[in-house]
Every structure is written in structure tokens, then in C-alpha cells.
Amino acid sequence: SGGGRQWERRARQEKKAAARQVQLEDSNVTGKMKYLAAYMLLSLGGNESPSTEDVKGLLSGAGVEVNEDELKFMFEKLEGKSLKELMAEGKDRLVSIGAGGSGGAGGAGAGAAEEEKEEEEEEEEVDVGGGGLFGGEEAGGY
């Protein structure tokens, strides 16, 4: 049964490594959010209608590389909309996809963490045997 636990642990580690790889691949998508974040920061800072140059200046000043095509694409999507309109639209979209589904994911994560903790405790209690070689109960009184 010790070999089975090691296999399960190794399988969990491989699953975590695969999940990290997926996150790295998705970072290209989430990297595009920097333009919207900069736009929002400028808007919240008092610039009611930030330009592409404003966003580029903010990001460049922070040492962030700017992709002109991605920035242009974002501004095409934002054209004619205020920050308040964009946030209201985003809120409506979040409501339409249902926030209830994400609650289950948090519970599953907590359960997995608890399960992992329990397994660690079990691992500490594992008898490695040795047939009383080191004077344990199985030593037969030697």
C-alpha cells in the first residue's frame, strides 16, 4: 500500500505541473488585460477619456512592453464607451454567467487541501517495518 500512496502522490504532482503549464499558456491571454487595467487606472485617476498614447505612456513608464496591435484592438472595442458603461456591461455579463458556479470550486479546493493534509499525516504514521531491527516492539525483547 506504500507504493500505491507514492504513485498517487506522484500523479498529484504531475497533475499540478500540467496545471501550471496551462496557466503559462493562458498568460498570453491574460497579458492583454494590462491594456484595460492601464486604461481603467487612467480613468479612475481623472482622465475621463484616455488615449492610446496615455495608455502606452503609463505602461512604458512602468517598464511594460506594449504591442501596438493589441492596444489598437482594445481601443476599437472601447470606442464610444465610458468606463461606467464598460463596468456596468461587465457586471451584467458576470451576472448572466452565474456566480453560483464559482462557489463550488472554492469548496472543492478546500476539500482537496484538507485531503492532502490528511494524507501527509497518514504518511507520517506509516510503519516502515524493519522487523524489529532497531529495537521496536517487534524486536522480541532483544
Side-chain angles (χ1 to χ4, degrees):
S1 96
R5 287 188 186 134
Q6 287 177 347
W7 180 86
E8 289 172 4
R9 187 178 328 122
R10 195 170 303 133
R12 278 195 310 275
Q13 289 171 344
E14 288 175 5
K15 186 176 178 181
K16 287 179 185 178
R20 280 191 294 271
Q21 182 63 34
V22 168
Q23 287 175 339
L24 290 173
E25 290 170 2
D26 287 345
S27 68
N28 185 37
V29 174
T30 57
K32 295 177 184 178
M33 292 296 292
K34 63 187 169 195
Y35 306 112
L36 183 57
Y39 180 90
M40 292 178 71
L41 283 171
L42 289 164
S43 295
L44 293 171
N47 184 344
E48 292 184 25
S49 184
S51 68
T52 57
E53 291 303 314
D54 294 331
V55 171
K56 193 184 327 181
L58 176 64
L59 292 172
S60 296
V64 176
E65 187 177 325
V66 176
N67 180 314
E68 296 284 336
D69 293 333
E70 291 175 354
L71 183 59
K72 181 181 174 186
F73 178 76
M74 184 198 74
F75 269 89
E76 288 172 0
K77 294 294 183 183
L78 297 179
E79 192 172 341
K81 297 180 182 178
S82 71
L83 181 60
K84 288 183 182 182
E85 290 172 326
L86 292 169
M87 291 179 73
E89 187 179 307
K91 183 179 176 184
D92 291 342
R93 287 184 180 177
L94 283 175
V95 169
S96 71
I97 60 172
S102 64
E114 252 182 58
E115 180 180 316
E116 192 169 311
K117 183 177 179 181
E118 286 177 16
E119 285 186 25
E120 286 177 13
E121 288 175 9
E122 286 179 20
E123 290 173 12
E124 292 173 8
E125 298 172 11
V126 173
D127 180 18
V128 292
L133 184 63
F134 300 105
E137 289 179 19
E138 299 173 1
Y142 290 107

